[in-house]
Amino acid sequence: MFVNQFLKLKDKSRLVKESNRVILFTVDNGEKFASLSVVHALVLALSTGENSTTDIRDGLMEIFDFEQSEAQQLISDLLVQTADFIDVQDHAFTELNARYDAEDFIYQAEPTPWQNKLEVPNTVVWMTTNRCPADCVYCVIPTLKANEIAPNELTTEQAFKFLSECVALGVKYVNLHGGDPFLRKDMIEIIEYLLEHDVFVDVSTKMPLRESLIERLAKAGLDTLQVSIDSKIPKIADAIVKVKNWLPKINQTIELCQKYDLNVRANIVVTAMNIDGIPDLLRYLIEEKGITDVGMSSYLRSEHKHDDDLLINQQQREWLVNAVNEISAQYPDIEIGNISVKSEREVSVSIPGFGSCAGGKTALVIGSDGECATCDRTMPYQQARIGNVKESSIRDIWNGEALEYLLDPPREEYEGTPCFDCDHFQQCNVRQRCYYRAQLINGRLYAPDYLCAKLPEPPVEMF
């Protein structure tokens, strides 16, 4: 049934034009993703908060010569399909979202099949530096000390060159990764530049930031600053990051952000060292620090730094999931991420949409030295690199033979492994095996993925 309502595209929803479709996604949640026809995108571009469904229906009837019932059905169906991306209410919104010119979405789409790889990446993960003030026990990235010289790190000029290309290509989301981004002296100028060009910036830190820097971040319009905090017990917090008096330093950053109304997202990495105290940590962050957004992830095995004693068992996992669910129920207005009670294998084989990995399909990773890969964790492997922004454009790297080979490797690369004769070989190419897990377990990039449901449990635990 068609109801007259007012629609507004959510602030973090983005539309990206391609030659044969329009991509709809949420900049801070890569799993929320949809491929749309041009007419569907036009409806969303018109969803500014001041247009009602009746207004949009009449527009469709005028532009496309639709019958009234046809236009109404299209809008009703689209509201169901894109419910996670739009806000709906029975009166006009006071704050509008007029990000898009609807006329830009009146074009003839090419009649070619929709692929599971975008024409250009909508997400760029830039590992800004390998330098870091901490030495966290769980870090999967090989890092240098904060005062060490980072060889071949992109200069300011080189960084702005590739970032300006990102803007020109229409990249909508840039994750500033590390090491710690704020060890780069040009980081505030980089963030300001991206925000000025309507690029959503996701940045995290483990550093006690200066008040003047936080004030500039807030004035620039940074949506959220992520800080890592793994325990409210000073001794444990220090042991995890291997820095003395860590907790007061990170609390200072949180308090300064709140002084300038800059949202803070706290992130917790779950290990055997801190799992028992995580429920208390959550209450501390919510009740004493005023944090309204908390992320959580499980400890992950790495090649350069790993300790089996940091892994949690299934009993601990189930206990934590239940404890976090109870806290979430007590604080329904607080966004609390939770680890999965399911095995990683169950989670992996059930992910819909573009497949189990966005690397090289929707996202490109750029290292501190300009090297590119589909994943930050595979950056150390020469075979996984696909180009360098010092030498090539992002467009050429994205459309280059090296990336194409990684996304669709020939069967011969898997000779001597169970994948070679498997009748699901091509389906796994589409979904994309995890090269990181394959390398860790098998010692080679082109090997079975640990999460393959057709294989027995691997000899080592990954999570």
Side-chain angles (χ1 to χ4, degrees):
M1 180 179 177
F2 185 78
V3 178
N4 190 43
Q5 298 171 304
F6 288 82
L7 312 178
K8 186 175 81 165
L9 201 62
K10 289 184 176 180
D11 290 340
K12 295 180 182 179
S13 296
R14 297 291 187 272
L15 296 167
V16 178
K17 291 171 60 177
E18 296 209 325
S19 60
N20 62 344
R21 60 178 171 179
V22 176
I23 301 299
L24 171 65
F25 71 103
T26 302
V27 287
D28 60 348
N29 188 337
E31 292 180 5
K32 289 185 178 179
F33 215 96
S35 294
L36 305 174
S37 66
V38 172
V39 65
H40 286 147
L42 175 62
V43 171
L44 295 180
L46 290 168
S47 300
T48 62
E50 62 180 348
N51 296 321
S52 69
T53 50
T54 299
D55 296 329
I56 297 173
R57 178 201 66 191
D58 294 344
L60 293 179
M61 292 169 62
E62 179 179 350
I63 296 169
F64 298 102
D65 199 27
F66 285 163
E67 295 292 333
Q68 184 180 91
S69 60
E70 184 181 8
Q72 290 181 170
Q73 189 62 53
L74 184 149
I75 294 170
S76 297
D77 291 344
L78 185 63
L79 289 179
V80 174
Q81 181 186 355
T82 62
D84 290 337
F85 302 91
I86 56 176
D87 292 319
V88 181
Q89 63 185 36
D90 58 8
H91 56 277
F93 289 82
T94 54
E95 294 185 9
L96 305 182
N97 184 354
R99 173 171 276 111
Y100 300 106
D101 184 346
E103 291 187 3
D104 288 342
F105 295 92
I106 303 176
Y107 70 99
Q108 184 64 47
E110 295 179 5
T112 54
W114 290 355
Q115 304 296 325
N116 73 335
K117 178 177 181 284
L118 301 185
E119 292 177 348
V120 297
N122 64 33
T123 296
V124 164
V125 178
W126 177 26
M127 301 167 69
T128 56
T129 179
N130 285 351
R131 294 173 288 135
C132 190
D135 185 23
C136 301
V137 297
Y138 50 71
C139 187
V140 299
I141 307 298
T143 55
L144 304 171
K145 293 181 180 179
N147 59 357
E148 285 189 73
I149 296 175
N152 303 317
E153 192 172 283
L154 290 173
T155 65
T156 297
E157 182 181 0
Q158 291 168 333
F160 271 98
K161 182 178 181 293
F162 95 78
L163 289 170
S164 63
E165 186 187 358
C166 289
V167 170
L169 286 174
V171 172
K172 303 299 182 184
Y173 173 89
V174 171
N175 183 322
L176 299 172
H177 195 353
D180 197 294
F182 291 102
L183 283 172
R184 286 189 63 110
K185 294 180 180 180
D186 55 8
M187 187 47 55
I188 182 62
E189 287 81 13
I190 286 168
I191 292 173
E192 288 173 334
Y193 170 78
L194 292 171
L195 292 173
E196 285 171 5
H197 289 84
D198 196 33
V199 177
F200 188 89
V201 175
D202 195 350
V203 60
S204 61
T205 187
K206 279 184 160 62
M207 291 177 59
L209 301 182
R210 304 185 312 273
E211 182 170 357
S212 60
L213 175 59
I214 290 175
E215 184 178 12
R216 280 185 68 177
L217 291 172
K219 287 182 177 179
L222 183 67
D223 180 82
T224 302
L225 178 68
Q226 178 171 297
V227 300
S228 296
I229 181 167
D230 303 300
S231 177
K232 66 182 286 284
I233 302 171
K235 183 177 180 180
I236 295 178
D238 289 359
I240 289 175
V241 300
K242 297 184 181 178
V243 176
K244 292 182 179 180
N245 301 316
W246 179 255
L247 207 55
K249 297 174 183 178
I250 206 64
N251 280 334
Q252 175 187 331
T253 297
I254 292 172
E255 290 161 6
L256 286 172
C257 287
Q258 292 169 336
K259 177 180 177 179
Y260 291 98
D261 296 322
L262 175 56
N263 294 326
V264 175
R265 179 197 303 119
N267 189 67
I268 305 168
V269 178
V270 180
T271 70
M273 288 179 67
N274 66 337
I275 187 170
D276 292 342
I278 287 178
D280 286 341
L281 173 60
L282 284 173
R283 293 190 178 91
Y284 166 78
L285 292 171
I286 295 167
E287 297 171 1
E288 298 188 35
K289 308 311 295 182
I291 302 293
T292 59
D293 187 357
V294 183
M296 198 177 305
S297 56
S298 298
Y299 174 68
L300 176 67
R301 175 182 291 270
S302 68
E303 191 168 55
H304 75 285
K305 181 195 297 185
H306 176 71
D307 185 347
D308 278 339
D309 290 339
L310 294 175
L311 292 166
I312 61 173
N313 59 41
Q314 186 60 28
Q315 184 178 0
Q316 289 174 308
R317 179 180 293 273
E318 292 174 1
W319 170 81
L320 180 60
V321 168
N322 290 331
V324 172
N325 285 340
E326 289 179 7
I327 295 173
S328 294
Q330 295 171 12
Y331 301 96
D333 296 330
I334 306 298
E335 187 73 26
I336 303 177
N338 202 349
I339 62 173
S340 174
V341 72
K342 294 182 179 180
S343 71
E344 297 297 334
R345 182 183 301 230
E346 289 176 298
V347 172
S348 177
V349 298
S350 66
I351 295 175
F354 273 55
S356 59
C357 180
K361 299 175 184 176
T362 69
L364 178 68
V365 177
I366 299 173
S368 62
D369 58 356
E371 288 287 338
C372 297
T374 60
C375 176
D376 55 357
R377 300 182 185 113
T378 62
M379 189 67 75
Y381 311 134
Q382 185 64 42
Q383 197 176 15
R385 297 178 182 177
I386 57 176
N388 193 304
V389 297
K390 293 178 182 177
E391 304 162 358
S392 306
S393 70
I394 291 175
R395 184 184 290 276
D396 287 346
I397 292 170
W398 187 254
N399 295 310
E401 293 180 0
L403 176 55
E404 182 180 349
Y405 196 90
L406 277 179
L407 295 181
D408 192 19
R411 193 179 290 266
E412 290 71 26
E413 286 283 9
Y414 290 84
E415 190 168 0
T417 77
C419 295
F420 183 72
D421 296 317
C422 182
D423 55 1
H424 286 182
F425 180 85
Q426 196 56 44
Q427 291 95 312
C428 287
N429 273 12
V430 173
R431 285 181 59 84
Q432 185 137 24
R433 305 165 191 84
C434 178
Y435 287 126
Y436 180 65
R437 291 190 291 262
Q439 179 71 36
L440 282 185
I441 293 170
N442 303 283
R444 56 186 284 189
L445 217 61
Y446 297 105
D449 186 344
Y450 149 68
L451 298 186
C452 174
K454 298 186 71 174
L455 294 176
E457 289 288 338
V460 297
E461 286 293 327
M462 287 291 300
F463 304 91

